[in-house]
Amino acid sequence: MNTEINMAVAVVGPGAIGTTIAAMLHEVGRTPLLCGRTPRDHLTLQEDGRSMTVPGLVRTSPKQITRTADLVFLAVKATQIEAAAGWLTALVGQQTVVCVLQNGIEQVDKVRSQASPGHIVPAVVWFPAQAQSDGSVRLRGEARLTLPDTAAARVVAQALQGTRCAVDLAENFSTLAWRKLLQNAVAGLMALTHRRSGMFVRADIAGLALAYLRECLAVANAEGIELGVEVPQEILGKFQSAPADMGTSILTDREAGRPLEWDIRNGIIARLGRVHGVPTPISDILVPLLAAASDGPG
Ligand SMILES: NC(=O)c1ccc[n+]([C@@H]2O[C@H](COP(=O)([O-])OP(=O)(O)OC[C@H]3O[C@@H](n4cnc5c(N)ncnc54)[C@H](OP(=O)(O)O)[C@@H]3O)[C@@H](O)[C@H]2O)c1
């Protein structure tokens, strides 16, 4: 693994999260190679009324790649991993570290066939960013990632050292990733109602959300994750005290008619529930609804 800051870094999927990371690297003179789907000659990050341009052609075909990278940030949606596989084939060599910037808890499994597991780094992405209709990205909040405390993660931390993207290496990474998963799972209710955070103050929705979060918690605990009984109420409370118009990326995708990350955010609870014999009656209703909303037919 290359531990020099002078690394060859690529960002695959220069969308909301990928553009943020690319901009943070560019700002300190470490402009990454950009690999995407839509051709662009630069990326733009909007932040607090400021705008930053990341120069550089967005490559749109893995055939344009002539050498492997030391570090790849994979920031496509989980539903796009298969289509983006050619990028990893072209960019990943024996020593390449792949940092998967995606929601869920299955980041390593998703790319296991394309990089050696010890070189794959899952991430919890804490910052909200949103692609705008003009192709720019709006970052809302401080850029921050949590990674597990591993040798490969230290390569990622080093690449981002001195940038405005904070990196925490956490010994309790799995616990943090599961907590974020619970938050994402319950946010899925917004994609079904087409409503934003404000809906969680309704007593009926609050009751459903709490029951669903407790179901998710039971599965987490069965997986050996030490999240306490207070967590469902804490997560619900955050949604209730958030601005009423705060959305979630699964709602944005739903409104745009795009495929939803329902399986990594919600399906996972039902799948692991079955493995551990934990009943998941709420998931058993929510997941088919989200899956059908995402993938049809009809
Ligand atoms: N956005 C957030 O606030 C946030 C926060 C936490 C976690 N996350 C997670 O981060 C991950 C990325 O989300 P995002 O919001 O950044 O998604 P996004 O804005 O949709 O970005 C995905 C990017 O991947 C590109 N892409 C799609 N297929 C590709 C392919 N075959 N090859 C190369 N590039 C391809 C897309 O290109 P096009 O421009 O052509 O669509 C887009 O630029 C998701 O798992 C999400 O759940 C997001």
Side-chain angles (χ1 to χ4, degrees):
M1 289 178 211
N2 185 340
T3 51
E4 300 293 319
I5 290 196
N6 186 17
M7 300 177 208
V9 180
V11 171
V12 176
I17 299 304
T19 293
T20 304
I21 294 297
M24 297 293 145
L25 288 166
H26 172 67
E27 205 173 29
V28 296
R30 295 174 215 150
T31 313
L33 182 75
L34 306 172
C35 307
R37 184 170 62 174
T38 301
R40 298 183 203 283
D41 57 14
H42 65 276
L43 304 176
T44 305
L45 185 73
Q46 318 262 12
E47 209 187 344
D48 295 334
R50 287 183 298 151
S51 169
M52 192 199 312
T53 299
V54 183
L57 207 61
V58 175
R59 269 72 170 177
T60 53
S61 166
K63 289 185 187 139
Q64 295 168 279
I65 302 301
T66 53
R67 55 161 292 193
T68 57
D70 298 312
L71 169 61
V72 176
F73 287 102
L74 180 65
V76 297
K77 289 255 163 69
T79 49
Q80 298 164 333
I81 288 184
E82 250 180 73
W87 289 112
L88 294 183
T89 305
L91 288 163
V92 175
Q94 280 199 337
Q95 296 301 314
T96 305
V97 170
V98 179
C99 180
V100 187
L101 300 172
Q102 280 176 349
N103 273 318
I105 53 162
E106 298 169 290
Q107 294 96 335
V108 176
D109 287 341
K110 294 277 179 193
V111 296
R112 190 181 287 277
S113 60
Q114 299 209 265
S116 82
H119 288 70
I120 304 170
V121 182
V124 178
V125 179
W126 295 109
F127 52 92
Q130 202 170 358
Q132 311 290 297
S133 53
D134 62 0
S136 69
V137 166
R138 184 160 168 231
L139 173 63
R140 304 174 81 173
E142 302 290 312
R144 184 161 76 88
L145 303 176
T146 297
L147 313 177
D149 191 3
T150 62
R154 282 191 280 280
V155 174
V156 182
Q158 188 153 21
L160 288 167
Q161 192 183 315
T163 72
R164 285 190 296 124
C165 180
V167 178
D168 310 317
L169 299 181
E171 277 178 22
N172 63 342
F173 175 81
S174 299
T175 308
L176 295 172
W178 263 94
R179 193 184 169 105
K180 177 92 192 287
L181 176 65
L182 263 60
Q183 191 180 308
N184 282 332
V186 79
L189 293 175
M190 291 193 250
L192 290 177
T193 58
H194 280 232
R195 292 279 175 183
R196 290 160 200 276
S197 283
M199 76 174 198
F200 288 98
V201 301
R202 287 180 62 106
D204 50 4
I205 292 292
L208 173 62
L210 210 48
Y212 181 40
L213 284 163
R214 287 182 179 136
E215 176 175 304
C216 298
L217 180 68
V219 174
N221 291 158
E223 275 279 292
I225 302 297
E226 289 180 11
L227 283 174
V229 288
E230 70 289 355
V231 170
Q233 186 58 58
E234 286 172 7
I235 292 175
L236 174 63
K238 277 202 163 179
F239 280 105
Q240 290 173 324
S241 59
D245 66 348
M246 190 190 78
T248 171
S249 64
I250 198 167
L251 172 60
T252 309
D253 285 339
R254 177 84 178 103
E255 287 173 342
R258 290 190 288 257
L260 308 180
E261 291 183 302
W262 61 269
D263 189 45
I264 60 147
R265 295 171 60 129
N266 300 89
I268 176 79
I269 301 295
R271 283 189 274 123
L272 289 177
R274 281 195 290 279
V275 169
H276 295 290
V278 175
T280 57
I282 300 177
S283 296
D284 296 344
I285 295 170
L286 287 190
V287 172
L289 291 173
L290 285 167
S294 169
D295 307 337

